[in-house]
C-alpha cells in the first residue's frame, strides 16, 4: 500500500504484531465478545429486512409525490428514491439494539416538506411503525421511529437530479451542486463514513479497535457529543488516524497506541485523515486562517469529505480536560497490560462518577406525557452543554463542570428525568482572598435559553439545584441502592485507580491533603414548583470541619454562598498566589416566601446543614493540557527506533487552530433578561461563590 493511503504523513511504524500481540489481541476480542458487543445472526437479518422494506416505502412515496404534483406518467414511472446507511451500522461496529442512521436521497421535485408531510403520513398509518417523531426544525432535519422494533434515524436530501439512479454515488462532489445547506449536512454523514472506510489500511482491524474504543468511552462516561464529549464519528476519526500511523498493527496494539498518541497530543492541533480539500463549489470548509469561529474550538477533529468540517466543536475546556485525564489513565493501564501487570478488564472499569466529586449540579425536568417528554428531553439535553460553557465563561474557567452523559429517572415520578454535573475547581488556580464568583445570571440565562423552546408548553418544567455527594438520590446508583461503604473515589484531580496496574500506599495517600470545589446553588419550586420573582433565601453560617486540619489554620474561614435577588457581582480574573484551603459553610433555611408551595421537588434540598470543606493541595502543573504537537520521543516512548522516525499526527505543516463547526454551534450569549415571547421566566436564584483565602501553617518535611 502506498504511503498516500496513510493520510497526511508516513506511518510511525509498519511493523506487524508479535507473538505477544497476537495473544493480547485474542484476549481483547474475547473480552469484547463477552461484553455482548456483537449482534446475533437473526438480528442482523432483521435489520436487513427492515432496510429493504424502508427502501420500498420511500420509492412508493416519491411516485405518490410525482402524481400529486401532476407529472406525466413517464416521469412517475421513472421516479425513484434510495436509502443509504451511515454511522455505526455502515462502519460495521453497531451492537445489539443500536439504531440505524439512514439517509433517503430523492429527486429535486420531492421537497423536504413532502418528506415531513406525505411520507410522515404514510409511516403514521403503518402498524409496524412505532414512536414516530419528526424533527423538521433541527439543524439536520430527521425523522425518528421504530420499524418492527428496530430504531431508525432517517434524514432526507433532495439533490438536483430529476431521476435518482440505483447506482448513485453520493461520495462524488457533484452531488452537492445546487443544493441547500440542510441537504449538504444530511449528505455529509454518508460521505464522511465512506471516506473513513476508504482511508484506513485494514478495515477489519479498524472495526475491532473502534468497537473497543466505543465501549471504553461509554464506560468511562466520555461518549456523548451533545454534552461536550465525543460521539460516534469523532471516535471513528481518532481511531482511523491511529490505523494510518500503525497500518499493520493488531487491534490490541492500535488500542494501546491510541492512548499513547492522544495522551500526548497537543490540542488544538487538528486530527486529519487526509489533506483538506478546498473543493470547487465554493462551500465553506475548515480554515482557521480565514474563519474566526474555527480558531475558537479546542479539539478539532476534521472530517475527510468535502466540505471538511470539525466534528468536535461541542468540546469545552472542562470536557477536554476530563478526556485528557482519561487518555492518560488509559495509557498507564495499557503500559501495565503490556508489562503483564494488568488485564483488559482494568481498562474498561466504569468511571465511578458519583464517587469522584463532592459536589454536583442537579438538573430536573418534567412533563405530563410521553410525547412532551420526548421533545422536552431532547431540547434540554441539547442545552446542557451551554450551561457548561456559561459557567466556564462567568467564572473565568476556575469552576469546571463534568456533565454525566446520561439521564436518571426516579421510578416513582412519571415523566421525570434528572441530569447531573460534577463540580470542581480548576487545578493549579488559587483564589484571591475574598474573591467572588456570582453565577446567578449564569443559571438564569441557561433557564431562559431552555424556556425559549419554540414548542414550549406550560407542563414543561426545569429545575436546577446543588446536591452533595452524601445527599445524592438513591435512584442514581445501580439497582437504586446506595453503596453502604463507598469505595475509594476515583478523583479527576487526584491519582487514578488502575486496578492492578497501579497502587498508592496508605502513607502516600494520607500525606496528600484533599481539595474539593465547594458550590451551593439554590432552586425555586415550580407552581407547585414556581418561585415568586422576589424570592430570597435566608442564609446562616457556621464553622465547618476542614478536610485535613492537621496542617492548616483557619483565618477568616468563612466562604459565603448566598442565594438572593441581588445584582450580579463583576467577575474578577483569578490571580496566582499561595496554596489555600477553602471552606464553604452554609445553613439553608426552609422558609418560603408568600405564594410558594413545597412541591415534589421543592423541599428535598431544604432544611439541612451544609458542611463543605476542602484541604490544601500543591499543584505542579503536571496535568495541565499541552499546547503543541507531541515529539516523536514522547509518542513512541520506549518504542522501537523505527517508530521514532515519524511524528504521529503532529504535522507541523498543518494549520494550528482551535476548531470548526460541523453542525450548528451553540455559543454562550451575553446575559439577557429576554425570554420566549410565550413565557416570561421569573427571577432565578443567585449562586455566588466567595472563596476566602486561608493561611497554611508550616509543615514538617
Amino acid at each position: 500500500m502506498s504511503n498516500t493511503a496513510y493520510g497526511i504523513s508516513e506511518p510511525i511504524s509498519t511493523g506487524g504484531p508479535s507473538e505477544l500481540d497476537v495473544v493480547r489481541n485474542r484476549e481483547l476480542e474475547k473480552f469484547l465478545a463477552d461484553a455482548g458487543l456483537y449482534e446475533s445472526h437473526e438480528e442482523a437479518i432483521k435489520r436487513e429486512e427492515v432496510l429493504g422494506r424502508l427502501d420500498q416505502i420511500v420509492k412508493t412515496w416519491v411516485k405518490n409525490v410525482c402524481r400529486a404534483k401532476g407529472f406525466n406518467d413517464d416521469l412517475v414511472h421513472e421516479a425513484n428514491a434510495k436509502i443509504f446507511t451511515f454511522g455505526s451500522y455502515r462502519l460495521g461496529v453497531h451492537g445489539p439494539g443500536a439504531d440505524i442512521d439512514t439517509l433517503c436521497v430523492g429527486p429535486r421535485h420531492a421537497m423536504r416538506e413532502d418528506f415531513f408531510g406525505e411520507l410522515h403520513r404514510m409511516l403514521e398509518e403503518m402498524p409496524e411503525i412505532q414512536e414516530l417523531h419528526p424533527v423538521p426544525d433541527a439543524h439536520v432535519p430527521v425523522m425518528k421511529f421504530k420499524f418492527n422494533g428496530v430504531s431508525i434515524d432517517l434524514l432526507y436530501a433532495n439533490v438536483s437530479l430529476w431521476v435518482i439512479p440505483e447506482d448513485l454515488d453520493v461520495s462524488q462532489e457533484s452531488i452537492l451542486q445546487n443544493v441547500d445547506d440542510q441537504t449538504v449536512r444530511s449528505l455529509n454523514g454518508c460521505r464522511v463514513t465512506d471516506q473513513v472506510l476508504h482511508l484506513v489500511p485494514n478495515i477489519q482491524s479498524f472495526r475491532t479497535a473502534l468497537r473497543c474504543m466505543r465501549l471504553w468511552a461509554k464506560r468511562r462516561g466520555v461518549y456523548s457529543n451533545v454534552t461536550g464529549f465525543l460521539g460516534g464519528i469523532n471516535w471513528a476519526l481518532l481511531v482511523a488516524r491511529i490505523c494510518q500511523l500503525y497500518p499493520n498493527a493488531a487491534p490490541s496494539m492500535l488500542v494501546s497506541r491510541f492512548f499513547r498518541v492522544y495522551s500526548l497530543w497537543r490540542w488544538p492541533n487538528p486530527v486529519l485523515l487526509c489533506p483538506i480539500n478546498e473543493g470547487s463549489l465554493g462551500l465553506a470548509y475548515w480554515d482557521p486562517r480565514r474563519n474566526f469561529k474555527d480558531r475558537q474550538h479546542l479539539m478539532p477533529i476534521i472530517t475527510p469529505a468535502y466540505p471538511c468540517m470539525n466534528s468536535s466543536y461541542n468540546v469545552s475546556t472542562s470536557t477536554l480536560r476530563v478526556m485528557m485525564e482519561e487518555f492518560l489513565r488509559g495509557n498507564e493501564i495499557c503500559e501495565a497490560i503490556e508489562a503483564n501487570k494488568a488485564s483488559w478488564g482494568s481498562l474498561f472499569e466504569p468511571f465511578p462518577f458519583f464517587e469522584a466529586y463532592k459536589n454536583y449540579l442537579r438538573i430536573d425536568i418534567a412533563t405530563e406525557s410521553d410525547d412532551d417528554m420526548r421533545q422536552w428531553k431532547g431540547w434540554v439535553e441539547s442545552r446542557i452543554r451551554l450551561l457548561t460553557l456559561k459557567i466556564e465563561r462567568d467564572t473565568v474557567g476556575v469552576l469546571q463542570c463534568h456533565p454525566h452523559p446520561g439521564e436518571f429517572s426516579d421510578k416513582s415520578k412519571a415523566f421525570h428525568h434528572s441530569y447531573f454535573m460534577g463540580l470542581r475547581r480548576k487545578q493549579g488556580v488559587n483564589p484571591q482572598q475574598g474573591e467572588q464568583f456570582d453565577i446567578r445570571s449564569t443559571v438564569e440565562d441557561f433557564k431562559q435559553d431552555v424556556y425559549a423552546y419554540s414548542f414550549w408548553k406550560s407542563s414543561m418544567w426545569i429545575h436546577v439545584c446543588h446536591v452533595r455527594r452524601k445527599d445524592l438520590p438513591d435512584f442514581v446508583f445501580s439497582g437504586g441502592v446506595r453503596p453502604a461503604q463507598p469505595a475509594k473515589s476515583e478523583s479527576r484531580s487526584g491519582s487514578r485507580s488502575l486496578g492492578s496496574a497501579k497502587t498508592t500506599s496508605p502513607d502516600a495517600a494520607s500525606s496528600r491533603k484533599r481539595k474539593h470545589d465547594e458550590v451551593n446553588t439554590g432552586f425555586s419550586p415550580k407552581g407547585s414548583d414556581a418561585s415568586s420573582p422576589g424570592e430570597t433565601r435566608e442564609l446562616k453560617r457556621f464553622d465547618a470541619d476542614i478536610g485535613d486540619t492537621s496542617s492548616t489554620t483557619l483565618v477568616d474561614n468563612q466562604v459565603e454562598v448566598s442565594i438572593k435577588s441581588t445584582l450580579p457581582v463583576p467577575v474578577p480574573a483569578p490571580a496566582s498566589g499561595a496554596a489555600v484551603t477553602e471552606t464553604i459553610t452554609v445553613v439553608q433555611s426552609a422558609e418560603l416566601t408568600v405564594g410558594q408551595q413545597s412541591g415534589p421537588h421543592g423541599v428535598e434540598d431544604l432544611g439541612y446543614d451544609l458542611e463543605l470543606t476542602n484541604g490544601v493541595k500543591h499543584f505542579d502543573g503536571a496535568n495541565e493540557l499541552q499546547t503543541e504537537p507531541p515529539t516523536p520521543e514522547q509518542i513512541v516512548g520506549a518504542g522501537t527506533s523505527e517508530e521514532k522516525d515519524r511524528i504521529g499526527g503532529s504535522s507541523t505543516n498543518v494549520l494550528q487552530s482551535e476548531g470548526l463547526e460541523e453542525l450548528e454551534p451553540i455559543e454562550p450569549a451575553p446575559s439577557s433578561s429576554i425570554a420566549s415571547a410565550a413565557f416570561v421566566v421569573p427571577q432565578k436564584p443567585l449562586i455566588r461563590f466567595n472563596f476566602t483565602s486561608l493561611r497554611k501553617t508550616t509543615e514538617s518535611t
Side-chain angles (χ1 to χ4, degrees):
M1 185 176 290
S2 63
N3 285 347
T4 56
Y6 298 138
I8 62 173
S9 67
E10 295 181 10
I12 292 178
S13 172
T14 58
S18 65
E19 292 184 5
L20 283 176
D21 289 330
V22 173
V23 172
R24 294 191 193 101
N25 190 67
R26 191 180 302 119
E27 294 173 348
L28 177 60
E29 291 182 342
K30 182 180 184 303
F31 181 90
L32 297 180
D34 293 342
L37 294 190
Y38 299 94
E39 68 178 357
S40 65
H41 179 66
E42 292 75 15
E43 186 174 359
I45 292 177
K46 183 178 181 181
R47 288 176 182 273
E48 292 177 2
E49 292 174 347
V50 164
L51 290 173
R53 178 77 178 105
L54 183 60
D55 190 64
Q56 294 175 356
I57 291 172
V58 297
K59 293 181 188 310
T60 301
W61 161 69
V62 166
K63 294 182 184 296
N64 291 343
V65 170
C66 289
R67 291 192 189 95
K69 295 189 176 183
F71 290 101
N72 60 51
D73 292 342
D74 290 339
L75 189 55
V76 171
H77 177 73
E78 294 180 353
N80 190 34
K82 186 172 174 58
I83 291 291
F84 294 85
T85 62
F86 62 100
S88 63
Y89 185 83
R90 176 71 179 91
L91 290 172
V93 296
H94 62 286
D99 59 4
I100 305 178
D101 294 313
T102 57
L103 169 70
C104 173
V105 177
R108 61 190 305 171
H109 50 276
M111 309 302 292
R112 192 168 290 106
E113 291 78 10
D114 301 315
F115 178 79
F116 286 102
E118 176 63 21
L119 181 58
H120 178 268
R121 284 190 290 273
M122 289 176 60
L123 295 174
E124 201 170 30
E125 295 172 358
M126 296 180 179
E128 60 264 47
I129 302 295
Q130 304 92 27
E131 300 180 19
L132 181 61
H133 178 50
V135 192
D137 297 325
H139 196 59
V140 181
V142 61
M143 196 127 60
K144 297 173 177 285
F145 54 92
K146 286 188 176 181
F147 197 138
N148 284 335
V150 178
S151 296
I152 301 288
D153 285 356
L154 180 62
L155 311 183
Y156 181 63
N158 60 318
V159 298
S160 58
L161 298 174
W162 285 103
V163 177
I164 303 299
E166 277 298 310
D167 60 351
L168 178 68
D169 183 2
V170 296
S171 65
Q172 297 298 315
E173 185 177 315
S174 59
I175 199 72
L176 302 177
Q177 288 181 330
N178 303 317
V179 299
D180 59 19
D181 291 342
Q182 289 178 316
T183 295
V184 171
R185 290 190 290 268
S186 297
L187 287 165
N188 197 41
C190 287
R191 289 167 51 79
V192 168
T193 303
D194 289 346
Q195 274 293 91
V196 170
L197 293 174
H198 176 71
L199 291 169
V200 294
N202 185 315
I203 292 179
Q204 190 56 48
S205 294
F206 163 74
R207 284 173 171 164
T208 302
L210 181 55
R211 282 185 185 274
C212 186
M213 294 312 307
R214 285 163 58 94
L215 176 64
W216 173 85
K218 290 175 182 178
R219 290 195 174 181
R220 300 304 297 176
V222 291
Y223 190 101
S224 175
N225 182 278
V226 71
T227 54
F229 294 108
L230 301 181
I233 187 59
N234 310 125
W235 293 108
L237 294 173
L238 291 181
V239 172
R241 183 62 184 135
I242 301 302
C243 291
Q244 291 180 337
L245 296 174
Y246 300 89
N248 300 317
S252 60
M253 183 178 178
L254 292 173
V255 170
S256 175
R257 295 305 181 262
F258 179 98
F259 291 112
R260 176 181 293 184
V261 170
Y262 292 121
S263 65
L264 296 167
W265 198 274
R266 297 184 176 179
W267 306 102
N269 288 279
V271 172
L272 297 165
L273 297 186
C274 60
I276 292 177
N277 178 13
E278 297 184 5
S280 59
L281 302 180
L283 299 177
Y285 60 91
W286 185 77
D287 188 352
R289 299 168 301 180
R290 302 175 184 176
N291 305 323
F292 174 77
K293 287 184 179 180
D294 293 352
R295 297 194 292 271
Q296 304 309 304
H297 293 195
L298 304 177
M299 193 182 188
I301 303 171
I302 310 304
T303 57
Y306 174 77
C308 299
M309 297 289 187
N310 174 27
S311 62
S312 52
Y313 68 87
N314 275 351
V315 174
S316 68
T317 301
S318 294
T319 54
L320 175 58
R321 185 174 297 273
V322 169
M323 287 187 285
M324 288 300 293
E325 290 172 351
E326 284 298 331
F327 292 160
L328 287 168
R329 172 191 177 273
N331 185 52
E332 291 171 353
I333 295 180
C334 285
E335 289 177 351
I337 291 174
E338 292 177 350
N340 294 321
K341 296 181 179 178
S343 65
W344 289 112
S346 301
L347 180 66
F348 293 94
E349 288 179 356
F351 177 68
F353 181 81
F354 292 108
E355 298 175 17
Y357 300 97
K358 189 172 183 180
N359 292 276
Y360 298 85
L361 204 61
R362 174 177 172 177
I363 302 170
D364 291 306
I365 63 171
T367 61
E368 295 179 353
S369 70
D370 281 328
D371 289 340
D372 286 350
M373 174 53 74
R374 191 178 302 113
Q375 297 180 38
W376 187 233
K377 175 176 175 288
W379 171 253
V380 172
E381 287 177 351
S382 72
R383 303 288 103 178
I384 288 178
R385 182 179 67 89
L386 188 58
L387 177 59
T388 301
L389 295 176
K390 286 175 176 288
I391 291 175
E392 290 177 355
R393 177 198 66 188
D394 294 348
T395 64
V396 201
V398 173
L399 185 63
Q400 295 181 333
C401 306
H402 177 185
H404 190 286
E407 79 275 2
F408 297 85
S409 299
D410 184 349
K411 302 302 181 183
S412 66
K413 299 176 182 177
F415 317 124
H416 181 282
H417 291 302
S418 299
Y419 301 87
F420 292 85
M421 286 186 182
L423 301 171
R424 77 170 186 188
R425 177 201 290 279
K426 180 180 179 181
Q427 296 183 29
V429 174
N430 299 317
Q432 290 178 309
Q433 182 173 354
E435 184 177 19
Q436 291 184 338
F437 297 94
D438 177 2
I439 65 169
R440 175 189 62 173
S441 60
T442 306
V443 173
E444 183 168 351
D445 283 350
F446 168 68
K447 291 185 176 180
Q448 287 177 354
D449 287 333
V450 171
Y451 279 123
Y453 181 42
S454 300
F455 303 99
W456 179 85
K457 299 179 181 179
S458 59
S459 61
M460 296 176 176
W461 166 81
I462 184 171
H463 142 103
V464 181
C465 67
H466 159 265
V467 59
R468 289 191 299 169
R469 183 170 58 204
K470 74 180 187 67
D471 298 312
L472 287 166
D474 291 343
F475 61 79
V476 304
F477 300 104
S478 178
V481 178
R482 181 185 300 272
Q485 195 69 25
K488 180 180 178 181
S489 65
E490 182 179 337
S491 173
R492 291 287 184 192
S493 59
S495 60
R496 290 174 292 274
S497 173
L498 305 183
S500 58
K502 285 186 177 292
T503 57
T504 304
S505 67
D507 292 341
S510 62
S511 66
R512 289 197 295 267
K513 304 172 183 67
R514 301 188 302 275
K515 178 179 185 292
H516 296 282
D517 305 307
E518 308 307 339
V519 179
N520 177 46
T521 102
F523 66 90
S524 313
K526 167 207 177 235
S528 65
D529 304 22
S531 64
S532 62
E535 175 184 353
T536 298
R537 178 168 297 169
E538 299 294 329
L539 298 174
K540 300 179 182 178
R541 304 190 304 175
F542 63 91
D543 292 341
D545 297 332
I546 310 291
D548 182 354
T549 58
S550 60
S551 60
T552 61
T553 301
L554 283 173
V555 175
D556 187 21
N557 64 350
Q558 301 302 325
V559 181
E560 183 176 321
V561 181
S562 58
I563 306 168
K564 297 181 180 180
S565 295
T566 59
L567 294 177
V569 180
V571 179
S576 58
V580 299
T581 296
E582 305 165 30
T583 301
I584 299 182
T585 57
V586 173
V587 175
Q588 295 199 50
S589 169
E591 297 179 8
L592 299 175
T593 58
V594 176
Q596 293 177 323
Q597 300 177 23
S598 56
H601 312 286
V603 298
E604 60 189 59
D605 288 7
L606 294 176
Y608 58 74
D609 296 344
L610 300 181
E611 301 180 33
L612 311 178
T613 64
N614 282 328
V616 176
K617 182 170 182 178
H618 295 283
F619 298 93
D620 56 10
N623 291 329
E624 292 299 310
L625 297 180
Q626 309 197 41
T627 57
E628 299 178 1
T631 65
E633 292 77 9
Q634 286 176 317
I635 287 184
V636 302
T640 65
S641 59
E642 179 185 7
E643 286 181 312
K644 297 182 180 179
D645 292 336
R646 303 301 303 169
I647 297 179
S650 61
S651 59
T652 54
N653 60 327
V654 177
L655 297 171
Q656 291 195 18
S657 73
E658 298 182 60
L660 154 96
E661 49 189 338
E662 177 191 18
L663 302 178
E664 182 182 22
I666 304 176
E667 299 180 8
S671 299
S672 171
S673 59
I674 302 176
S676 169
F679 181 79
V680 179
V681 182
Q683 189 169 6
K684 301 301 175 184
L686 161 68
I687 307 170
R688 176 182 298 156
F689 303 89
N690 181 358
F691 297 105
T692 303
S693 178
L694 302 175
R695 185 175 62 221
K696 181 169 127 6
T697 61
T698 304
E699 299 183 27
S700 59
T701 58

